[in-house]
Amino acid sequence: MELPVELKQIIAFTKRDFFSWTTYRALMITQVVNIFIGVFSWGVGAAYVQRPVSEMYGSDYISFLLVGIAVGNLIMPLAQGFQALNPWTLETILMTGISTTVFVIGNVMWTYIFSIVTFIPYLIIGISFFHVKLNVNVPSTIVAFTVSAAILVGLAMISTGLRIVTKSTDPITWAINVLQNLFAGIAFPVIYLDTIFFPGASTISWFLPQTWVYHLCRLSMLTNPSLLDPSILIQFLEGSVFAVILLPVGYKVFQWGLNRSKREGTLGWY
Amino acid sequence: MTAEYAIETVDLVKRYPTSARRGRGWGFYGGQVTTFGGVLSIFRGIRGPFVEALRGVNLRVENGQIFGVLGPNGAGKTTLIKILCTLVIHDEGEAYVNGLDVRKKPIEVLKNLQAVLPESRGFNWRLTGRENLEFYASLYGLRDKEAKERIDYLLDFTGLTDRANDGYQRYSSGMQRKLLLCRALLRSTPIMLFDEPTVGLDPASAEEFRTLLHDRLARKEKKTILLSTHNLYEAQDMCDRIAILDRGKIVACDTPDNIRYTMFDEKVFEVTFIDAIYGDEHERMVDELEKMPGVHGVTPDVDPERNFIGISIRVNKSMDLSDILDVITKTGLKIRMINTEEPTLEDAFMAITGHPERRRTWGA
């Protein structure tokens, strides 16, 4: 029995990117080395801090940070998958008549898989050398990753739709990335913002989709949450709202960018 | 679905916004958004000033034809092809592929038509030729067995089988062009578009590619082919019909022969003589010929030793040449050879697109 055509198309994209990646041997080696150097450098830095992060996750700082860094590694490549998109390839691929969804998922799948592969040594090194304590709930982790992927694909489609028009960086993704560093809680729990800035400052964070990506992943990997617990379920549903909004908005923005570029005749331009 | 025409356009208009504003500090400089105004400009509609790439193009291509679109740079050839293959959206008019509206049914259109665009390579340079084709076969939705058979057939068809497992970056320009053709043929569509199919190829590769298009794709596989080209020899040699596009308008559309002949009111008639010395009687003959109705000009070919080599006469294209021969032979001149110089497609093209003076004075 053959796989569905759409799945085969996504696999084709992934295979193409994987084979292409394996031909860049120097890049391949440096990326793998970066995984180890990255986790050690963050780990050593965090080991000196070793603050408790009891407010949100009941965890030590190194565990909190490691999960955050690992999740961050999942986020960034999704945008990078589109940044590498060659406009010449874009024209040719669009002439095959594939659907927008397949096109978008196909283009980020390899980078996403690579990110997950990167995630594993982070955890192994963190647990083995820095005594990271994970308290994972597998079903909620799977749901967290699924919701995160949906949010990130939505953002990636917005980013690509705009980038097809601007031929450069897009202002929305740029703004979100800048805000992410401050508000999404990569290196500290967002609740600290209330202490650093003013009471209630952390409210801003919850309007950023990335905050939910980090939060849901940390929640599911550090606190062993049950999805049957209503308070946990509500948090997952709140995060899912972003996915439900961002996916169709992303699709619309992507289509808008594509049509705008076709009307202007700039689809194949850099 | 059967349609009367493989390709049909009706009053097709395409305007492109010029990039003049972007260089004037409006916040959209060099394609980068630098100000809030630049951000807003993304969301506004397309703004002028515009350049009209196509200005009411009407075209009909019948099934099975090889149809050439000729035109100088900037005439709108690539725009026309990109509209047909759904990569550019037109502003006014209609365009149909096998009766399907390209704007309303782009996915169905792409099942009827594939294009080979030289600038849109779309291949991954790090993969082999076969791996690149396998990737596109998946995107076209071909089944595994069908894809393998099709790829093997196309690699053989284009003579690339021996190099199929070499990296694409090792391919010559000719091989890259052939791989483009393979990709376009993966989904066997009845209509093929080629934008400058032989540009950048050496003469032997270009001839091989032309043969592939003409003999195998058009005549053997009965595909409709629309190609744009600067190469007038290519158009005259391959095309059943051609359209000459100039500044966004079709200024001539017919068979290559009809375009050649209908463009000119006259033909050039050349007579070469045997061992003749140019004398007074020949001067009188030239005067007599010039006075004949239908003769536009007479040019004797006399060398410095007064040898009368031949004579060149521009006449109405429908003129009876026997009257001219009577005038010549009664002077006792012996004729070695008679030639009628044919106008070429290049003559017609030049006359139509940029040199209107050649419309009447071709061959002078």
Side-chain angles (χ1 to χ4, degrees), chain A residues 115-134:
Chain A
S115 303
I116 289 172
V117 171
T118 308
F119 192 85
I120 295 165
Y122 265 83
L123 296 184
I124 293 171
I125 293 169
I127 291 165
S128 307
F129 293 93
F130 301 108
H131 312 295
V132 165
K133 295 181 191 71
L134 296 181

Side-chain angles (χ1 to χ4, degrees), chain B residues 26-66:
Chain B
W26 285 79
F28 205 111
Y29 187 78
Q32 290 198 346
V33 180
T34 55
T35 68
F36 185 67
V39 176
L40 284 182
S41 74
I42 297 168
F43 296 99
R44 291 174 185 152
I46 295 172
R47 290 173 163 271
F50 296 100
V51 58
E52 281 195 308
L54 297 178
R55 299 184 294 154
V57 169
N58 291 291
L59 202 67
R60 284 174 172 172
V61 180
E62 291 180 10
N63 288 301
Q65 268 187 347
I66 303 180

Side-chain angles (χ1 to χ4, degrees), chain B residues 173-279:
Chain B
S173 300
M175 290 164 68
Q176 290 177 5
R177 198 62 55 85
K178 284 179 179 174
L179 201 68
L180 272 176
L181 182 61
C182 286
R183 187 191 61 208
L185 292 170
L186 276 170
R187 176 187 275 169
S188 183
T189 57
I191 304 167
M192 300 286 299
L193 308 183
F194 293 88
D195 190 12
E196 303 283 356
T198 57
V199 73
L201 297 184
D202 64 64
S205 301
E207 186 56 37
E208 191 185 354
F209 202 79
R210 276 194 286 272
T211 305
L212 206 63
L213 258 59
H214 184 272
D215 294 354
R216 302 196 69 173
L217 282 183
R219 299 299 176 241
K220 192 177 170 195
E221 299 202 357
K222 311 287 182 198
K223 290 184 187 296
T224 305
I225 291 177
L226 182 142
L227 62 93
S228 80
T229 182
H230 286 299
N231 188 329
L232 301 170
Y233 160 75
E234 189 168 273
Q236 187 165 329
D237 191 44
M238 290 177 64
C239 298
D240 301 313
R241 282 174 71 81
I242 58 172
I244 295 179
L245 198 58
D246 189 26
R247 281 162 284 189
K249 271 185 167 300
I250 288 183
V251 289
C253 184
D254 211 325
T255 63
D257 281 348
N258 283 348
I259 284 187
R260 282 196 295 154
Y261 289 114
T262 53
M263 275 312 299
F264 299 102
D265 301 330
E266 58 189 31
K267 57 188 173 186
V268 176
F269 179 55
E270 289 179 335
V271 184
T272 310
F273 305 126
I274 301 171
D275 299 333
I277 303 295
Y278 192 69

